[in-house]
Amino acid sequence: MAGREDDEHDPPILDDKTEAEAKSSERDMAPPGPGTSIHRSGSRPQLDLSKAEIQGNFEERDPTILLPNQSDDISHLALDIGGSLIKLLYFSRHEDYSNDDDKGKKTIKERLGLTNGKLRSYPVLGGRLHFVKFETHKINECLDFIHSKQLHRRDPYPWSSKTLPLGTGVIKVTGGGAYKFADLFKERLGVSIEKEDEMHCLVSGANFLLKAIRHEAYTHMDGEKEFVQIEPNDLYPYLLVNVGSGVSIIKVDGEGKFERVSGTNVGGGTYWGLGRLLTKCKSFDELLELSQKGDNSTIDMLVGDIYGGMDYSKIGLSASTIASSFGKAISENKELEDYRPQDISLSLLRMISYNIGQISYLNALRFGLKRIFFGGFFIRGHAYTMDTISFAVHFWSKGDMQAMFLRHEGFLGAMGAFMSYEKHGLDDLMSHQLVERFPMGAPYTGGNIHGPPLGDLNEKISWMEKFVRRGTEITAPVPMTPSKTTGLGGFDVPSSRGSALRSDASALNVGVLHLVPTLEVFPLLADPKMYEPNTIDLSDQGEREYWLKVLSEHLPDLVDTAVASEGGTEDAKRRGDAFARAFSAHLARLMEEPAAYGKLGLANLLELREECLREFQFVDAYRSIKQRENEASLAVLPDLLEELDSMTEEARLLTLIEGVLAANIFDWGSRACVDLYHKGTIIEIYRMSRNKMQRPWRVDDFDAFKERMLGSGGKQPHRHKRALLFVDNSGADVILGMLPLAREFLRRGTEVVLVANSLPALNDVTAMELPDIVAGAAKHCDILRRAAEMGGLLVDAMVNPGDGSKNDSTSAPLMVVENGCGSPCIDLRQVSSELAAAAKDADLVVLEGMGRALHTNFNAQFKCEALKLAMVKNQRLAEKLINGNIYDSVCRYEPPSLSQM
């Protein structure tokens, strides 16, 4: 479910040039010991997570979680205070309202078996979980921040909304700072610190993120990321390697079941400490950046140095293998100042990363584990560090084990501390209940900006006008150098080393995590685990560049439409300009780093555009266009229905399918179709499209569908019990195309559920708009009027029991449900509970339109019959998908998946 933006203050944008985490070396060197269970409350979670989301800075990895329907004044505040960084989570409120007391909605929900207990009829409060970082040596800034928002004065218990008196508050804190700064918190804020075990928090946070976020984990080899979907039931056991100042290696067997099985004192602190002594770098990040320009072969002794440039093939060592880190320094008559600092930094980084990878492999081998997750400040999304560790694990395990990394690894401890509250509200969430969005959130300049929190939309726009250059030009991808001759502990150097890869090129953006417990997996998917919504693979560079260019070229028209939708005011123009800057920055970022936002598909790109529009308060850019097209289409609907009723059954069915395909031409997301709008009226274009509907179509299963509907050889078919019709565009598409098809099902006694977007996207019709459209159509058709009244769409309608249309009669209802998204496409792993309920009695799914039937779900298989109808309005898509041309038609009829028969 797409989330809404509000005017909450965003977290301050802080300098991330920090020193390494100086966590306790005693802990890292302590003997292994069994862990104990994390405390869990027996009561149910108290947070209302419906329509929740993660929101955050476009550039930072630090998300903010929005809980829009939270009705209680909860202000859990949790911190992880390390030697170098403070990671802080807090809850803030904002208001939202529910309108589920609508009579029509109640009628539909009752018919679908949804209890009234799920409905709200009162104002509700919502909020966000904010993630903020401070440098530990600037702890007073952190305390000032807490005080300014009065976070320490909130009662942490869900049933209370009172402000606590000074001296009575309690804050959950993990990390060494929980002990070091306890007195300071008491002195400055008048609150007590409740210390949470660091290891428990680390594991608890990792377990939650790995189970709850679909693409939390990823591999990193040769500079390439690949996101890994881990089934919650298949998560345990695993090895968690936390690389801080030292290294802790933890075997995790389940929720609250873990054991620290090993560790080493050679970790991030070693790299930073030695690096500072040898290179005079002033910060950890400076040392890492220096390594990007290094060549370790000037310092490390390689196998080729020992064997005259030759491999030691007898034992499988190439000439580029490191025989001894810093080994050349003992045989050369050089002093420290004779070596380049960048070569020293790279040699150090390889030595430590390689050893961490090898020790981790040995522990995984010891316990028979295949999966190793690495986290901690030493990783930091740094490409070469991850490549080095990955190569070590892959080499020594002969490809049998995988090194994986976590997108949210910086906040594992803080997340675990938050979850230590008795009623944290995050229990039992599943991956289909979380949706990640990437609002701009704060200014993006291609670098770091340091400034005050952004107070409202105007302030955000001001920052963008100052720092984000407008333009739709997309930058070239980050170049990668080919493999060099230097090596690493038995394998060649990863191809991503050297100055060709920026130090921040692999940084993964963490967006806003929408926690939406009302989302469900579409129950009619044949195999949800194998389902992939996206038809176009944007991991292919050519496809990615093409579609990013298409979106970029469409941007000016979209901005003009959005601004015009709000009267062309100066405020609208300013917001439109800011939207253009923001979305251009998104496109440039994705061209440069395709995996920046996780696994990328065309559906994700289209949804990103809609979210960006909403961020700058363009809620429905095509509202006036949709209204105009709806009115024009309703005006000619009576003539169309009269024409249909005069036909034979077979001719009418063909005309109905032709009408759906012809009307699907009205798509403001297609450049070719936008050009058509300048050449005629909506009715002229529709008639032209109808006249060109000559069979055979490019994909033509009409005869099979006709046989299923009408029977053959004198055999009468059984009627469908319930049909789900996923509708696409407003105007002619839904009114002259899909409503007449729905009417045909209704006259045959089939229940019909029209499935539409929850939020606007381009000119797509929404579930909120459909009842008015149906009411307008029902004025001209008794079949539609009776069905709409039965389905709760015309609650106050007066229907004459004797009314009918010639000899037709129906007792089947027409209903409308929202699909749970606000995009031109749909991911059926995440649909609304209403749609999931409607699907349980459905035996036919009709997917209409390019977004829902071609861009996504073209290859989807269902437990029931499926009909996919669309006109292809993009030449490249036509060539790629159906080996055809623009304006070709697709009518694909599919019986239930063979696996379900």
Short mmCIF file of all heavy atoms in Angstrom, two decimals, residues 116 144 248 362 564 592 651 794 813:
data_model
loop_
_atom_site.label_atom_id
_atom_site.label_comp_id
_atom_site.label_asym_id
_atom_site.label_seq_id
_atom_site.Cartn_x
_atom_site.Cartn_y
_atom_site.Cartn_z
N ASN A 116 -17.00 -6.95 10.88
CA ASN A 116 -17.06 -5.53 11.18
C ASN A 116 -16.03 -5.12 12.20
O ASN A 116 -15.74 -3.95 12.36
CB ASN A 116 -18.46 -5.15 11.69
CG ASN A 116 -19.49 -5.16 10.58
OD1 ASN A 116 -19.15 -4.92 9.44
ND2 ASN A 116 -20.73 -5.47 10.92
N ASP A 144 20.41 16.77 23.12
CA ASP A 144 19.64 17.95 22.74
C ASP A 144 18.49 17.57 21.81
O ASP A 144 17.37 18.11 21.91
CB ASP A 144 20.54 18.97 22.04
CG ASP A 144 21.54 19.63 23.00
OD1 ASP A 144 21.31 19.57 24.22
OD2 ASP A 144 22.54 20.17 22.50
N SER A 248 32.91 -10.77 16.49
CA SER A 248 32.14 -11.79 17.20
C SER A 248 31.46 -12.68 16.17
O SER A 248 30.86 -12.19 15.22
CB SER A 248 31.09 -11.15 18.11
OG SER A 248 31.68 -10.59 19.25
N LEU A 362 35.72 -21.27 8.44
CA LEU A 362 36.10 -22.40 9.30
C LEU A 362 35.04 -22.67 10.37
O LEU A 362 34.75 -23.83 10.69
CB LEU A 362 37.46 -22.12 9.95
CG LEU A 362 38.66 -22.13 9.00
CD1 LEU A 362 39.92 -21.64 9.72
CD2 LEU A 362 38.88 -23.53 8.43
N ALA A 564 -1.00 21.47 -14.13
CA ALA A 564 -2.31 21.90 -14.65
C ALA A 564 -3.45 21.36 -13.81
O ALA A 564 -4.49 22.01 -13.67
CB ALA A 564 -2.46 21.45 -16.10
N GLU A 592 23.21 4.78 -12.42
CA GLU A 592 24.56 4.66 -11.89
C GLU A 592 24.73 3.40 -11.05
O GLU A 592 25.75 2.72 -11.13
CB GLU A 592 24.86 5.90 -11.05
CG GLU A 592 26.27 5.98 -10.51
CD GLU A 592 26.47 7.29 -9.77
OE1 GLU A 592 26.50 8.35 -10.41
OE2 GLU A 592 26.58 7.23 -8.53
N ALA A 651 -21.61 -13.46 -31.36
CA ALA A 651 -21.14 -12.18 -31.89
C ALA A 651 -20.93 -11.19 -30.75
O ALA A 651 -19.99 -10.39 -30.77
CB ALA A 651 -22.14 -11.63 -32.89
N LEU A 794 -24.86 0.77 -4.73
CA LEU A 794 -25.99 1.70 -4.79
C LEU A 794 -26.86 1.46 -3.57
O LEU A 794 -27.97 0.95 -3.66
CB LEU A 794 -26.80 1.49 -6.08
CG LEU A 794 -26.04 1.68 -7.40
CD1 LEU A 794 -26.95 1.35 -8.58
CD2 LEU A 794 -25.53 3.10 -7.52
N PRO A 813 -24.35 -10.24 -7.66
CA PRO A 813 -23.95 -8.88 -7.28
C PRO A 813 -22.73 -8.39 -8.05
O PRO A 813 -21.91 -9.18 -8.52
CB PRO A 813 -23.60 -9.03 -5.80
CG PRO A 813 -23.09 -10.43 -5.69
CD PRO A 813 -23.89 -11.24 -6.68
#
